[in-house]
Amino acid sequence: MSELSLPRDIPQPAETHGTGLFAWIASLDHKQIGIMYLIATLVFFLAGGVQALLMRTQLIRPENSFIGPGTFDELFTMHGTTMIFLVVMPMLIGFATYLVPLQVGARDIAFPRMNAMSFWFLVFGGLLLYYSYVAGGAPDAGWFSYAPLSERPFSMTTGVDYWALGLLSTGIGTITAGINLMVTILALRAPGMTLTRLPLFTWMVLVNSVLILLALPVLNASLVELLIDRLLNAHVFAPQGGGSAVLWQHYFWAFGHPEVYIMVLPAFGIISEIIPVFSSKPIYGYEFVAASTAAIAFLSLVVWAHHMFAVGLGFASDLFFAITSMLIAVPTGIKVLNWTATLWRGSLRLTTAMLFCLAFLAMFTIGGISGVSFTAVPVDWQVEDTYYVVAHMHYVLFGGSAFALFAGFYYWFPKMTGRLMDETLGKWHFWLAFVGFNMTFMIQHVLGLMGMPRRVYTYPNLPDWGTFNYISTIGSYILALSVLVFIWNMLRSLRHGAEAGDNPWGAWSLEWATASPPPEHNFDRVPPIWGRRPLWDLAHPAASGRPSWWRELAQRVRRPAMPPAQMGMLLFIGSEATFFVVLIISYAYYHLNPSPGPTASQVLHPAAAGLNTAFLIASSVTLWWGMRQQRRGRRGSFIGWLAATIVLGALFLFGQGREWLGLLTSNVTVARDLFGATFFTLTGFHGLHVFLGLLLLVMLFVLALLGQFRGRTSVGVESVSLYWHFVDAVWIVLYTLIYVWAFVK
Amino acid sequence: MTTWHVLALTWTWEPSVVAGCTALAGAYLGFSGRPLGWGRTLSFMTGVAILLLALDSPLDGLGDRYLFSAHMAQHMLLVLIVPPLLILGIRPAWVRAALAVPGVRPLEHVLRRPAVAWLIGIGTLCTWHVPALYNRALANALVHLAQHLSFLVASTIFWWPVCAPLAELRMPALGAILYLFAASLASSGLGIALTFARPGLYPAYLHPNDVLGVLPVIRGGWSLTPAVDEQVGGLLMWVPGGLVYLCAILATLGRWYREEDEHEMRAGDATPSGQEARPYVTPMA
């Protein structure tokens, strides 16, 4: 490995143990984990597909009795949840896990062990969700589980509990995956690979990871509150106990709308990689594609209420959200224009991957236009909860994201396996999918406009309804057939596909510079990079404007602004902050709209909690001082201050426990009123964070006693201290919010 | 009475504001050398014009007494539009001269620190929306003047590290994007709180003293009841306010693209790893 031109401080690939299946299960290699993501999500894709076929079979004729209403409710809930949380989002993350380190010229992903954890959290979440079938009934409250339907009195089985737990698990995995990808992109790029030269797929994964860190914690926090409602009899979203069901909708869509873009931005990235290669032209307007991605991501955070026009938010709110939602069409339109302009006068190669990209352009545009139609509030009221919405979202998620994913499979399969997929079977797959998809969903626009409601297990025999549904169902069978062709093509090509070679498509991003499949360490040497198309630039030095000192590029060392571990911790803290913001909003909301029952000013003692606050602030000071000692090389003193920090943290937890005990004995509980529910949720989760921080500090302490941390600085100590200071800062906010606010008027 | 009557009646034409804006524009033209840089001059003059509009148009007349939403629109102009336009109009030479004055450079250095500038800008915005303070400003002209002045000053401090005329005074682009993003979250959060707050947070708008006799048009013709008015005010801060930050983020992104390319394409500023350079054999050859 001595001839490697990558600097030593870039992480080397993590070690792999074992052989055979165990080598996969225990793998820490981002390529193996990426492939496992794709396999697992394909399995879930088949499960979700079977659910869809069962529903379509039930709907093949009016007043059919193939499936009863209860089963139908379970089916559409499981289908939506599976496709969104276990297929589209993780499949895109799987591609990102495989490709991002290769595209930025890195040896491995930033945190290989956390990468494996992300994947297994996904699998675990999926299994939890499906275990609900065994445990007494699948969830049946829709993929968004609107309260109060999802509350205990209306969903008595454990289905919704498993739904929430499963999503919580996949959600944690998604957040850690987002952190991992972001740190990889920001800190591990090869020399010359500036952020402005990132392949567009990687750029979109970066923007997407920002969205993940902002959106998924919102979902996690609301799931936690829903679970507390269901399992501990709180009423945060339950109107019968004074809670607000609309609050759940706000939370869910504050997550749910960015989620739409989380499921489509990396798909945009796939398209932006494939179209230029098969048009033999660079992407038209790289800067506009990149910047419009950032604009979409930002706008997606402020438009969620357009999912709630039918709730009755009021005229003014509807108006503003209608306008911002229309605005999203502008950056999206810019993208479609850029892709089309890339095709213009290119010499096109109509491979299967390219065909899926072209179909994506048309299908996504249709889905986008029907999406804009919802921003007209009266239209939205008219078609809300009809098949028009079903048609729209499938044009975006199947005609959009899934077609892009198919394109990605055909394009990168040779890189992952060393063999090309069969083009004849590929064309069959494409045409069957294209015809089947449009047959299934185009007609549903009409059914929706005719008023056919979604999420109902059958329909009356009205003129044309039976015929149109029949067409739709036949289309879905054709679509299913196309997926079988696709799976067969992959299995067959694994053994019998033509040898691919390093760069079968004549592409120009870095993953094509290495072998197919790439060696465990990805690259023997990373080529020098001075433009946006590194391999094309190498082949055309003059035309690409190669600088005279280009040889020097290979010797450069990129020093990231901060160690990856610390960057990862900061991003994790960012996602945790979002999580707490949601819990804080719940508390503040019910503080301003109190329900009957004890309130903060009646039962809390600000002085005792103030003493507790002093302990925690002091622990931040001792930790800071201890690290100062460490930097001066005074190890003994460092260990001593670390011990003081641990004692102070433990005192805080002790004080917190006393306060809780006092409240519980005077019958202030989670179930009593909304103050109790939100107070215990907020302080409980903070206490849990203190407890985890304390465990980390104890680990540091033991390791220090065993002789670790002999240097002046240590990334581990720095990261743990960042976390501890964050936990303290959260408490200062909570103390102000809960204790000061209650008593200052 | 029609909408046009209302809009005509509610221009305030405060002499001090007109005089101040004229003086500002005159001084700018007077001190600028020739030739005038069109971009900067246009930016500064637009800034002055919007300042005049914010302080003297119906936004002021209606915002003073009748409509929380008009008042919010006025504040948004003072906080989000006027300061960046004025800053973008300032000539670099003036900044250099000002920094040469003893005491200015250290002060600028402290105020430019992201945490300081951010807290001053967003802190001022949030503080004035505390009902007690906001209501005081509505009742007392002097407090109201202090409110508007503090908005202008604090927002100038806020926008300075993002768009100062000298490149070395600006924050690195990635930091600036985070800075603006955090600001948009805080300001949108405040907007969301106002949108969903109970009506009558600022009681002066519940039953305005209708000295101009325009209330029937506002309540009847425009259907702006106090509840809707407060909601519109919150939404103005939440949505269009957020979009201003988005534009600033996109502009910063554009700047970053230019800067990073220039930086990376300079030879010889990297650490050599001590290995011989070997030409890489292209796989496409």
Side-chain angles (χ1 to χ4, degrees), chain A residues 446-491:
Chain A
V446 185
L447 278 169
L449 292 174
M450 290 160 93
M452 179 170 166
R454 62 192 281 218
R455 304 193 204 99
V456 179
Y457 78 110
T458 191
Y459 52 92
N461 190 8
L462 293 170
D464 294 331
W465 283 32
T467 323
F468 287 180
N469 273 295
Y470 186 78
I471 294 173
S472 183
T473 300
I474 298 300
S476 71
Y477 293 156
I478 299 176
L479 193 55
L481 182 64
S482 83
V483 173
L484 291 183
V485 174
F486 169 63
I487 302 283
W488 168 243
N489 190 356
M490 279 211 285
L491 293 176

Side-chain angles (χ1 to χ4, degrees), chain A residues 113-114 143 146 158 165 182 289 306 322 458 502 520 601 661:
Chain A
R113 283 175 180 78
M114 193 165 88
W143 84 275
Y146 272 175
T158 49
L165 286 169
M182 250 178 116
V289 179
H306 71 218
T458 191
D502 291 356
E520 199 184 343
S601 55
L661 215 59

Side-chain angles (χ1 to χ4, degrees), chain A residues 587-599:
Chain A
Y587 179 85
Y589 182 78
Y590 290 119
H591 184 74
L592 289 172
N593 305 287
S595 58
T599 58

Side-chain angles (χ1 to χ4, degrees), chain A residues 31 95 98-106 193 199-202 269-270 272-278 349 351 353 407-421 498-519 522-527 529 532-536 538, chain B residues 280-285:
Chain A
K31 296 180 290 297
F95 271 109
Y98 190 97
L99 289 168
V100 161
L102 286 165
Q103 286 200 329
V104 300
M193 178 60 81
L200 281 169
F201 176 72
T202 298
I270 294 175
S272 308
E273 292 292 305
I274 297 177
I275 286 185
V277 167
F278 292 125
R349 282 183 285 165
T351 58
F409 272 109
Y410 282 91
Y411 184 68
W412 280 300
F413 187 87
K415 179 50 64 185
M416 296 176 182
T417 64
R419 289 181 188 274
L420 290 161
M421 282 175 80
E499 291 280 340
D502 291 356
N503 189 1
W505 313 118
W508 40 64
S509 43
L510 285 180
E511 75 267 30
W512 304 104
T514 184
S516 305
N522 287 355
F523 297 96
D524 287 336
R525 259 188 288 141
V526 177
I529 302 154
R532 285 185 182 141
R533 296 187 291 163
L535 302 194
W536 189 90
L538 276 173
Chain B
Y280 179 85
V281 183
T282 163
M284 296 186 69

Side-chain angles (χ1 to χ4, degrees), chain A residues 202-285:
Chain A
T202 298
W203 169 255
M204 299 211 193
V205 168
L206 178 65
V207 176
N208 198 40
S209 306
V210 177
L211 272 188
I212 286 176
L213 291 196
L214 290 170
L216 265 298
V218 177
L219 175 70
N220 286 353
S222 12
L223 288 173
V224 160
E225 290 183 329
L226 179 65
L227 279 171
I228 288 174
D229 272 9
R230 288 182 58 86
L231 302 177
L232 303 177
N233 298 319
H235 302 99
V236 180
F237 305 121
Q240 71 271 25
S244 164
V246 176
L247 195 64
W248 168 265
Q249 293 201 20
H250 276 296
Y251 287 167
F252 191 84
W253 291 116
F255 147 78
H257 198 76
E259 170 71 11
V260 172
Y261 290 92
I262 291 171
M263 288 190 288
V264 88
L265 284 183
F268 286 170
I270 294 175
I271 298 297
S272 308
E273 292 292 305
I274 297 177
I275 286 185
V277 167
F278 292 125
S279 307
S280 314
K281 276 174 67 189
I283 185 101
Y284 178 85

Side-chain angles (χ1 to χ4, degrees), chain A residues 118-352:
Chain A
S118 306
F119 169 70
W120 291 109
F121 257 110
L122 166 77
V123 175
F124 181 61
L127 293 179
L128 263 181
L129 181 66
Y130 275 85
Y131 185 73
S132 64
Y133 272 115
V134 187
D140 54 3
W143 84 275
F144 34 62
S145 281
Y146 272 175
L149 178 59
S150 56
E151 293 280 346
R152 179 64 92 199
F154 306 99
S155 295
M156 299 288 283
T157 69
T158 49
V160 177
D161 300 320
Y162 280 103
W163 177 86
L165 286 169
L167 293 200
L168 209 49
S169 167
T170 63
I172 293 168
T174 309
I175 290 171
T176 50
I179 293 172
N180 217 336
L181 291 166
M182 250 178 116
V183 176
T184 307
I185 297 170
L186 290 177
L188 301 186
R189 280 165 291 144
M193 178 60 81
T194 61
L195 286 174
T196 57
R197 291 187 195 136
L198 285 180
L200 281 169
F201 176 72
T202 298
W203 169 255
M204 299 211 193
V205 168
L206 178 65
V207 176
N208 198 40
S209 306
V210 177
L211 272 188
I212 286 176
L213 291 196
L214 290 170
L216 265 298
V218 177
L219 175 70
N220 286 353
S222 12
L223 288 173
V224 160
E225 290 183 329
L226 179 65
L227 279 171
I228 288 174
D229 272 9
R230 288 182 58 86
L231 302 177
L232 303 177
N233 298 319
H235 302 99
V236 180
F237 305 121
Q240 71 271 25
S244 164
V246 176
L247 195 64
W248 168 265
Q249 293 201 20
H250 276 296
Y251 287 167
F252 191 84
W253 291 116
F255 147 78
H257 198 76
E259 170 71 11
V260 172
Y261 290 92
I262 291 171
M263 288 190 288
V264 88
L265 284 183
F268 286 170
I270 294 175
I271 298 297
S272 308
E273 292 292 305
I274 297 177
I275 286 185
V277 167
F278 292 125
S279 307
S280 314
K281 276 174 67 189
I283 185 101
Y284 178 85
Y286 176 99
E287 291 84 355
F288 282 88
V289 179
S292 61
T293 309
I296 290 175
F298 186 94
L299 282 172
S300 75
L301 294 169
V302 295
V303 298
W304 76 77
H306 71 218
H307 292 270
M308 300 165 61
F309 284 153
V311 170
L313 294 175
F315 168 73
S317 298
D318 287 356
L319 185 69
F320 276 86
F321 284 106
I323 292 170
T324 44
S325 307
M326 285 178 201
L327 274 181
I328 289 203
V330 176
T332 315
I334 288 176
K335 281 203 164 54
V336 173
L337 178 82
N338 278 289
W339 292 321
T340 316
T342 308
L343 297 169
W344 178 249
R345 293 196 176 165
S347 63
L348 304 187
R349 282 183 285 165
L350 292 179
T351 58
T352 309

Side-chain angles (χ1 to χ4, degrees), chain A residues 319-472:
Chain A
L319 185 69
F320 276 86
F321 284 106
I323 292 170
T324 44
S325 307
M326 285 178 201
L327 274 181
I328 289 203
V330 176
T332 315
I334 288 176
K335 281 203 164 54
V336 173
L337 178 82
N338 278 289
W339 292 321
T340 316
T342 308
L343 297 169
W344 178 249
R345 293 196 176 165
S347 63
L348 304 187
R349 282 183 285 165
L350 292 179
T351 58
T352 309
M354 183 65 161
L355 286 176
F356 271 113
C357 288
L358 295 177
F360 167 94
L361 275 186
M363 300 300 99
F364 183 76
T365 305
I366 293 174
I369 289 171
S370 61
V372 176
S373 72
F374 294 127
T375 63
V377 179
V379 175
D380 182 89
W381 287 341
Q382 181 65 28
V383 298
E384 175 83 29
D385 281 336
T386 70
Y387 268 80
Y388 189 83
V389 180
V390 178
H392 155 72
M393 75 190 165
H394 283 91
Y395 268 85
V396 174
L397 286 179
F398 203 105
S401 302
F403 275 20
L405 282 163
F406 286 141
F409 272 109
Y410 282 91
Y411 184 68
W412 280 300
F413 187 87
K415 179 50 64 185
M416 296 176 182
T417 64
R419 289 181 188 274
L420 290 161
M421 282 175 80
D422 188 81
E423 280 291 311
T424 315
L425 282 174
K427 299 273 159 61
W428 274 100
H429 169 209
F430 170 74
W431 286 110
L432 285 172
F434 186 76
V435 171
F437 168 75
N438 279 297
M439 217 171 130
T440 312
F441 292 110
M442 184 56 90
I443 199 102
Q444 291 185 1
H445 287 114
V446 185
L447 278 169
L449 292 174
M450 290 160 93
M452 179 170 166
R454 62 192 281 218
R455 304 193 204 99
V456 179
Y457 78 110
T458 191
Y459 52 92
N461 190 8
L462 293 170
D464 294 331
W465 283 32
T467 323
F468 287 180
N469 273 295
Y470 186 78
I471 294 173
S472 183

Side-chain angles (χ1 to χ4, degrees), chain A residues 195-197 317 324 555-556, chain B residues 231 239 256 265-266 275:
Chain A
L195 286 174
T196 57
R197 291 187 195 136
S317 298
T324 44
Q555 297 180 328
R556 285 192 173 189
Chain B
Q231 210 185 11
V239 178
W256 186 24
M265 292 311 283
R266 269 202 305 273
Q275 293 175 350

